[in-house]
Amino acid sequence: MIYLDYAATSWPKPPAVIAAMADFLEHAGGNPGRSGHRLSIAAGRVINEARESVAACFGAPDPLRVVFTPNVTYALNIALLALLRPGDRVVTTGIEHNSVMRPLRALEKAGVELVVAPCGPDGSLDEAALQRALAPGARLVVANHASNVIGTILPAERLATAAHAVGALFMLDAAQTAGVLPIDLSTLDVDLFAFTGHKGLHGPPGTGGLILGERVDVDELQPVFAGGTGSRSEREEQPEIMPDKFEAGTPNGVGLAGLGAGVRHIMALGVAAIREQELGLTRLLCEGLATIPGVRVYGPADRERRTATVSIIVEGRSVSEIGYLLDEEHDILTRVGLHCSPATHRTIGTAPDGTVRLALGLATTREDILITIEALRDIVG
Ligand code: ALA
């Protein structure tokens, strides 16, 4: 089987991740920060280690400003709901995932002003349009770091500068880039950094988080969820201390044990080395696809401006048929359709049917790519 669905979730997980999860259940299964006994303390230690590993991986100076959430969608929702009020202006791009667009559309109905800066057919952001949308007083710019459909990398550094120039905060949705592109928050001036644990960081599903930068005044944010934290238990209001303010209820200790191990695994490999490997495989794939008549590849031609997520269509054939034949006849797993990002498909002209997405990752080999190209050649006939 060839797994080409890394943009949905990474698979297989490193053995160290599976071992860390089993170890947590066996030896550290208490409720962290709640009780004083050894299993509770052991669970708390594993979660703290995961928090420190995540902070170190992204160059975030304060692990206590790493908030764990069940996934990146929760991280994005918590940030948007905590920050935005009726009358605020928020600016986003034309290639966002529904994890950003759906909460923003709901906030728009509640009186938040939403401006979508368009992107070109390869996903490149119209930066002049974004600048025009950024009137002084804008509250937030939110953008994905790379498209989950066509892999286009957006210019996070310039977006941060543009946002800060008008006094807005900048939130980066790193769902597709955490663990995939080298990211250093000590130099990349991102205020709210939302990540998922189960893709490039190679942790399990049910993990993700939000890292708050120094520009974010935590006291100004309203907690979206409230509940038990194990801290300040005498009060019926949510504690102000971090990260408890945004982490109500028992955390996913087993998942975070796996996330910590996943992060340490990719740090040991080196994210820059992972990126180099994926760039080479993406080049091989795109060059091979270009030799198959009727196959159209989306996304930037310049491989440096894209991740290893490649979308295609085959002229005159339905995307579901291509995905089905790849799976059933060639054991190649892809994702077809709209990829929860109708905005991207409207932008690149593939709505309403979508594309066939080939998303490479850590365990993908040159042989996998060569077999996939020949499988597509065979299917196209
Ligand atoms: N957002 C994930 C994807 O693109 C699930 O497939």
Side-chain angles (χ1 to χ4, degrees), residues 12-101:
K13 301 300 179 190
V17 169
I18 297 164
M21 294 175 76
D23 191 63
F24 182 92
L25 289 173
E26 222 172 324
H27 303 296
N31 200 326
R34 269 61 173 182
S35 318
H37 59 70
R38 72 197 74 167
L39 290 185
S40 172
I41 291 168
R45 187 176 302 124
V46 171
I47 293 175
N48 284 345
E49 281 168 7
R51 213 181 291 283
E52 282 168 7
S53 297
V54 167
C57 180
F58 298 117
D62 184 0
L64 296 181
R65 286 171 82 102
V66 176
V67 173
F68 284 132
T69 61
N71 51 46
V72 68
T73 298
Y74 271 69
L76 292 161
N77 272 262
I78 287 171
L80 295 171
L81 294 170
L83 257 179
L84 296 172
R85 297 286 165 265
D88 284 345
R89 171 183 285 222
V90 53
V91 179
T92 192
T93 84
I95 58 164
E96 297 303 316
H97 190 277
N98 272 347
S99 56
V100 165
M101 293 315 299

Side-chain angles (χ1 to χ4, degrees), residues 9-288:
T9 196
S10 54
W11 187 91
K13 301 300 179 190
V17 169
I18 297 164
M21 294 175 76
D23 191 63
F24 182 92
L25 289 173
E26 222 172 324
H27 303 296
N31 200 326
R34 269 61 173 182
S35 318
H37 59 70
R38 72 197 74 167
L39 290 185
S40 172
I41 291 168
R45 187 176 302 124
V46 171
I47 293 175
N48 284 345
E49 281 168 7
R51 213 181 291 283
E52 282 168 7
S53 297
V54 167
C57 180
F58 298 117
D62 184 0
L64 296 181
R65 286 171 82 102
V66 176
V67 173
F68 284 132
T69 61
N71 51 46
V72 68
T73 298
Y74 271 69
L76 292 161
N77 272 262
I78 287 171
L80 295 171
L81 294 170
L83 257 179
L84 296 172
R85 297 286 165 265
D88 284 345
R89 171 183 285 222
V90 53
V91 179
T92 192
T93 84
I95 58 164
E96 297 303 316
H97 190 277
N98 272 347
S99 56
V100 165
M101 293 315 299
R102 285 181 172 172
L104 285 182
R105 289 298 178 200
L107 282 162
E108 191 180 29
K109 283 211 176 95
V112 169
E113 187 189 355
L114 169 62
V115 186
V116 180
C119 295
D122 71 351
S124 303
L125 179 63
D126 181 342
E127 292 184 52
L130 181 107
Q131 290 285 359
R132 286 194 297 277
L134 268 175
R139 183 81 174 111
L140 181 72
V141 174
V142 50
N144 61 27
H145 199 183
S147 160
N148 71 309
V149 178
I150 50 175
T152 311
I153 298 170
L154 292 187
E157 217 168 300
R158 291 202 297 280
L159 284 166
T161 305
H164 297 151
V166 295
L169 294 172
F170 177 51
M171 176 150 72
L172 190 64
D173 166 10
Q176 295 295 326
T177 56
V180 164
L181 300 182
I183 294 171
D184 181 0
L185 296 178
S186 68
T187 53
L188 185 65
D189 205 2
V190 170
D191 305 307
L192 301 116
F193 179 82
F195 64 93
T196 181
H198 68 95
K199 296 184 182 179
L201 297 180
H202 290 272
T207 59
L210 181 68
I211 303 180
L212 300 177
E214 284 169 4
R215 231 182 243 98
V216 177
D217 181 353
V218 172
D219 294 340
E220 276 187 10
L221 301 182
Q222 286 299 314
V224 175
F225 300 106
T229 56
S231 55
R232 303 300 312 265
S233 293
E234 76 285 5
R235 299 181 60 210
E236 291 190 346
E237 288 79 34
Q238 191 68 7
E240 289 293 324
I241 54 171
M242 288 292 286
D244 301 23
K245 183 166 183 175
F246 300 105
E247 287 187 0
T250 299
N252 175 11
V254 62
L256 294 173
L259 174 63
V263 168
R264 290 187 288 275
H265 179 73
I266 59 137
M267 285 172 79
L269 294 173
V271 179
I274 294 172
R275 169 69 173 153
E276 270 313 300
Q277 175 184 317
E278 292 186 359
L279 268 176
L281 293 176
T282 307
R283 185 175 307 116
L284 185 67
L285 177 64
C286 290
E287 284 169 4

